Amino acid sequence: MSQEFAWSPNHRFRVADGQLDPGAAWRITAAPEPLGTPTWMAGFSTETPPEIIMAVTDVLARTGDTLDWTGETHPALQQPADRRTLIRTLTDAGWRSTYRGGVLDLEAPDELARVQVRLDPPGDPHDLMAHPHLYVEIGPRGSGGYPPYWQAMVTTNAPTVVVDALAQALTDPTPLQRDRDWMDEDLLAHLGHRTGAAPDNAGPYTEADLRGAAAELCEEVLEEVEHFDFIPEWYIVDRVIPSSRSGTPTTWGQLPAEQKALACLLVEDMVVAAAASAPALLGLDPGANLDRRTANRRPAPPLTTALNELPFTIDDLKDAAAYAAAAQINGVDLSGIAEVLHDRPVGDGTTWTWGSLPDAQHEQALHAIDRLLTGAAARTSELFAPDFRPAPLALVAPVYLAGPGHDRTTASKPLTDRGWTTEQQGATTVYTSPCQRLRTRSTTDHTGTSWTASFTYQPSGEEVWQATADPRTPPEIVTALHTALASDPGELTRPAWNTDDGLVPIIAAGWHDNSTREHLMWDEPDTGMASVYRCTAPAGQLFVGESRDWQISGGKLHPGEVEGWTIDMSENIPAPLLEAVTAAMTDPAPVARLGRDLTSEHLQYLHIRPLTPQAPAGPSARALAARTRVVLSPPAPATSRSTTATNPPDQPRQPAR
């Protein structure tokens, strides 16, 4: 009947070919006793590749590393069976698994192979065709009633070595040589092989192409964060601040509104800045972990808390940024990958785009990129392991290059602490000394806060002197001026002063004296980016627009550059006020700043180190000193979400834009 049978020497194993049922034309049986009742069976359809069947028969022919078909202790006769290795072999190869109703379904990444394992109940040990314990189906899903390309079935008691051999054969990437005349044309078309053309075993894309595409997607979705202000808060609002865990755990959403807004802004900056380094998550060359686009893109929110008193650290921000970055990457699903990559070239771009690939290869590529994105999301903490340049919370020096900072209120504190009254006049606040002769005006607009201090001679109302600081003046220097202004108002109203006494601090600090006969000029020696200047020519010899007032400046002030600042003081400014300003400029103590507020033109001249917030007294001191590793667990549902959000972070990946 055109059937062939082969027996093992001890008649415990039998291999049959040409069985009447084409769904199991090849059949293998095994019995614990010679010529006994089979304890397990395996069947393979007519079109099964012989390499698959040989993988099983090779196991039957061996005991360890030796050829041995004999003995009731043969590994292929042992029970109970263990399916963990089979499942691990398939999942390690990228097969996706789902479990329902006691049945585990596994599917290959290209969706051309499926394995079904009946676990509870395990299946009838003697029923090979109707309800096998293990069923393998090869071919496109939903083929309209047509049989699969080939299939395999295994009964319940098949030992571990048999099913493991089958799994290894299914996932073996070694290409096989075939005569295309014997191949199914529908299968060839599905795999992208054209009739009359030699198959290209390498395929139209490489692993490097896949990683490059995944890296592009990572970079783009991380950059996308800057276009949606709600995204950082959406991701981290319910996440516990790591440094608070040793005390009373606090989530980012429980912070005061101004602190939460600042934290979300800094996390946004860090995620966007890290986008340039995203290729490192795919094993590609990383970019620099600094993106100048984040500098001053959006102003920091008003903050009444000093930076060194914030209840979170840089490590806390890194944890939140890694979590937000992972959630953002995980927000891209297969349809999003397909949409973004559709028209992008593959390889050298001369033949293929991702969207023009044959169906099977296109699907396989999408799933491969999806797996790479999942792996990248699990590694986002690596993006934030290095120190950011500059640190999100930083201590910087010298002060004259530190910029205006984010706090526009501290400069007035020396005045109000000494009993100066305040009066609001539109956008201007007027501070008046108890003696009514000294005043300071602050005016705030989109550029910042400017300050003008003056002394008015009371009987006539004539202004005797004034000092004006522009909006970019560091607040520490303005604070020093106001401290001197409020310390002894009586002394500041005396008419006679040797103003040059105010230069003592810069002389002591070694500033260079570049003065000429008609110009007094002192320059900072290290960077040359701070100076004190006054024209000393007689009043009758001044050029048009020139004055004998003091001009104190710091930073770059060349044409077209507005990163520096200036303070203008009257020629007869009291020496204590000039000395207060020059002493503040030469103070070597670093000042606290947000890294995002530091100007790129001054970064190379600044000494910057991370700011460590002061630990409050009591048990929470240990909390602020604690450091924990980044745990990229699925985002917890937030108690409140932005109504404009389209998908919470724990939803499937969404299209990148």
Side-chain angles (χ1 to χ4, degrees), residues 381-392:
S381 59
E382 299 174 18
L383 293 176
F384 307 94
D387 289 334
F388 269 69
R389 308 181 303 277

Side-chain angles (χ1 to χ4, degrees), residues 17 22 71 158 181 282 285 341 458 491 504 543 546 562 613 645:
D17 177 28
D181 292 338
L282 283 306
D285 290 338
L341 297 180
Q458 201 68 344
E491 285 294 307
V504 170
F543 293 104
E546 195 172 23
V562 292

Side-chain angles (χ1 to χ4, degrees), residues 83-97 104-109 113-117 134-136 138 163-172 371:
R83 302 297 180 247
R84 289 175 295 181
T85 303
L86 170 135
I87 295 170
R88 184 166 57 250
T89 299
L90 297 179
T91 55
D92 286 350
W95 290 46
R96 297 177 300 279
S97 63
L104 179 67
D105 289 301
L106 299 107
E107 185 172 41
R114 287 161 295 283
V115 172
Q116 186 178 83
V117 185
L134 185 72
Y135 176 65
V136 179
I138 306 300
V163 294
D164 289 354
L166 182 58
Q168 292 168 6
L170 287 172
T171 57
D172 187 351
R371 292 194 301 273

Side-chain angles (χ1 to χ4, degrees), residues 198-501:
D200 182 3
N201 289 333
Y205 59 83
T206 64
E207 177 69 16
D209 295 330
L210 295 173
R211 291 185 177 275
E216 290 180 12
L217 287 169
C218 284
E219 188 168 353
E220 290 170 13
V221 297
L222 295 184
E223 290 176 347
E224 186 184 33
V225 170
E226 67 179 334
H227 301 300
F228 300 96
D229 297 340
F230 61 84
I231 285 182
E233 180 178 355
W234 188 13
Y235 289 148
I236 70 173
V237 63
D238 292 325
R239 187 163 181 80
V240 173
I241 302 173
S243 64
S244 72
R245 288 175 179 155
S246 60
T248 302
T250 303
T251 66
W252 293 101
Q254 292 174 323
L255 294 178
E258 62 175 21
Q259 297 178 11
K260 180 176 68 174
L262 176 63
C264 290
L265 180 62
L266 296 179
V267 168
E268 175 189 323
D269 286 349
M270 294 170 71
V271 171
V272 176
S277 298
L281 301 178
L282 283 306
L284 305 178
D285 290 338
N289 205 3
L290 172 64
D291 190 337
R292 299 289 171 80
R293 291 171 301 170
T294 63
N296 298 317
R297 184 184 61 81
R298 237 176 355 109
L303 188 66
T304 57
T305 305
L307 293 182
N308 62 349
E309 296 176 357
L310 290 172
F312 53 83
T313 67
I314 294 177
D315 283 351
D316 294 333
L317 293 172
K318 288 182 176 183
D319 171 88
Y323 186 78
Q328 185 72 354
I329 294 173
N330 280 327
V332 185
D333 63 6
L334 285 173
S335 63
I337 297 172
E339 178 183 345
V340 174
L341 297 180
H342 187 272
D343 295 324
R344 297 190 183 179
V346 179
D348 59 9
T350 59
T351 305
W352 300 97
T353 64
W354 290 105
S356 67
L357 291 174
D359 291 344
Q361 292 178 338
H362 182 243
E363 287 298 316
Q364 187 174 7
L366 293 182
H367 285 289
I369 293 172
D370 182 71
R371 292 194 301 273
L372 289 171
L373 290 178
T374 300
R379 296 178 56 190
T380 52
S381 59
E382 299 174 18
L383 293 176
F384 307 94
D387 289 334
F388 269 69
R389 308 181 303 277
L393 304 173
L395 288 173
V396 302
V399 64
Y400 57 80
L401 295 180
H406 71 286
D407 191 346
R408 302 178 177 181
T409 61
T410 56
S412 63
K413 193 172 185 302
L415 305 177
T416 55
D417 286 351
R418 290 299 183 98
W420 287 44
T421 62
T422 61
E423 178 185 358
Q424 198 67 36
Q425 300 177 358
T428 299
T429 303
V430 179
Y431 303 84
T432 304
S433 68
C435 71
Q436 301 294 313
R437 290 182 291 177
L438 295 173
R439 284 184 175 82
T440 292
R441 292 175 172 83
S442 69
T443 301
T444 300
D445 58 22
H446 69 282
T447 64
T449 301
S450 59
W451 299 85
T452 299
S454 63
F455 166 54
T456 303
Y457 186 61
Q458 201 68 344
S460 64
E462 178 185 0
E463 185 176 83
V464 178
W465 54 259
Q466 76 169 19
T468 301
D470 73 12
R472 295 201 60 80
T473 305
E476 293 81 4
I477 296 178
V478 178
T479 300
L481 174 64
H482 287 169
T483 300
L485 191 65
S487 61
D488 193 353
E491 285 294 307
L492 301 180
T493 58
R494 290 195 292 115
W497 279 101
N498 181 7
T499 308
D500 290 350
D501 290 345

